[in-house]
Amino acid sequence: MSTEITTDVVVIGAGPCGLFAAFELGLLDVKCHFIDILDRPGGQCAELYPEKPIYDIPGFPVVTGQQLTDNLMAQIAPFSPEFHFSRMVNTLEKQADGSFKLTTDADETFHCKVVVIAAGGGSFQPKRPPVDGIEAYENKSVFYAVRKMDDFRDQDVVIVGGGDSALDWTLSLQPIVRTLTLVHRRDAFKAAPASVNKMKDMVAEGKINFQLGQIARIDGEDGQLNHVHLTTEAGDLSIPATRLLPFFGLTMKLGPVADWGLELNDNTIVVDTEKFETSVPGVFAIGDINWYPGKLKLILSGFHEAALMAQAAKKIISPDERVVFQYTTSSTKLQKKLGVV
């Protein structure tokens, strides 16, 4: 069943710049919804280098990608933005009244007055395993994200990967599946240590299976899996499977954004430097996805862009409202919104 959602602003991308946009919009009483292809906030910071130190965030001599994400989530909590993860925006259409209609691959329709594209270098696309014929099984019994846990209930599930997504879904799905096998090419993981330890405890308890190896081929019929075949040090191994979740990492592509009629410059979106608005009025682009003369692809630049974007967005959303610029250090009104007074 299709879902209809109406809000002031839709932010496409929940990386640092998008998250800070929610703070600037919240100060102006603007409500927003996030759409992100990943299954958690943080964008590249959280997905590609959660433990990697960042040294050029003002006020933080050093902060990891995950710490920055956690701090931004705490900062925007007073404004209660809503998140829609593991989905991609397929279409963006401007309506006769100047508003926008967006659809996602999760059968959702969003109606809003302003769109903010904060998608970093583009949308993350899951890397397809090098398995012949896997396309015929995709979205039937092979999935690259978990949208509905019930799709895996009472199934024989094989999860391939050693990062946070693989470990998180191993732990989350285990209670509802019939069998679960985690496959990784080595006995070392790029995931939170607590998750790894919990997974190993479950293996010891016989609740899940862990297999060292790599996926070689799959068997099934009409898009429905029945076996996953692995290459292991001991030879070929066949595992009964009705669901396969391969987490082979992500690649960056501009994706459907390229078809939205926006002026582009070498796979980035051209914006002005007053409002960071695109060639389509009401559609803004901030962070690494945009381009203007002198552009620097830095998180701190994206924060600046988010602040100016928010002021312009407010004028579109509330054209008859007079907005007085205020400082959080001195405005009791803003401090009340933040819950600090």
Side-chain angles (χ1 to χ4, degrees), residues 171-224:
L171 300 178
S172 297
L173 291 174
Q174 185 276 328
I176 68 169
V177 302
R178 183 164 52 221
T179 64
L180 193 149
T181 301
L182 174 65
V183 178
H184 191 39
R185 66 185 186 277
R186 55 196 179 95
D187 193 15
F189 300 87
K190 293 182 178 179
S195 298
V196 176
N197 291 335
K198 189 171 182 180
M199 178 274 293
K200 290 182 176 179
D201 288 343
M202 287 187 170
V203 172
E205 295 166 6
K207 294 181 178 179
I208 63 175
N209 303 309
F210 173 66
Q211 184 63 53
L212 281 171
Q214 299 188 64
I215 185 170
R217 59 187 177 88
I218 54 179
D219 285 339
E221 188 175 353
D222 297 327
Q224 177 54 57

Side-chain angles (χ1 to χ4, degrees), residues 22-55:
F23 178 79
E24 292 293 327
L25 291 166
L27 292 177
L28 297 170
D29 296 319
V30 174
K31 300 296 183 183
C32 65
H33 281 243
F34 282 87
I35 303 172
D36 199 298
I37 198 168
L38 298 178
D39 60 2
R40 67 196 75 198
Q44 294 183 56
C45 279
E47 189 68 21
L48 301 183
Y49 45 91
E51 301 301 322
K52 185 177 179 180
I54 306 171
Y55 299 101

Side-chain angles (χ1 to χ4, degrees), residues 303-322:
F303 289 167
H304 159 75
E305 295 162 9
L308 293 187
M309 173 280 299
Q311 296 292 320
K314 176 65 174 182
K315 293 176 182 177
I316 295 174
I317 294 161
S318 306
D320 300 324
E321 182 179 336
R322 180 172 175 267

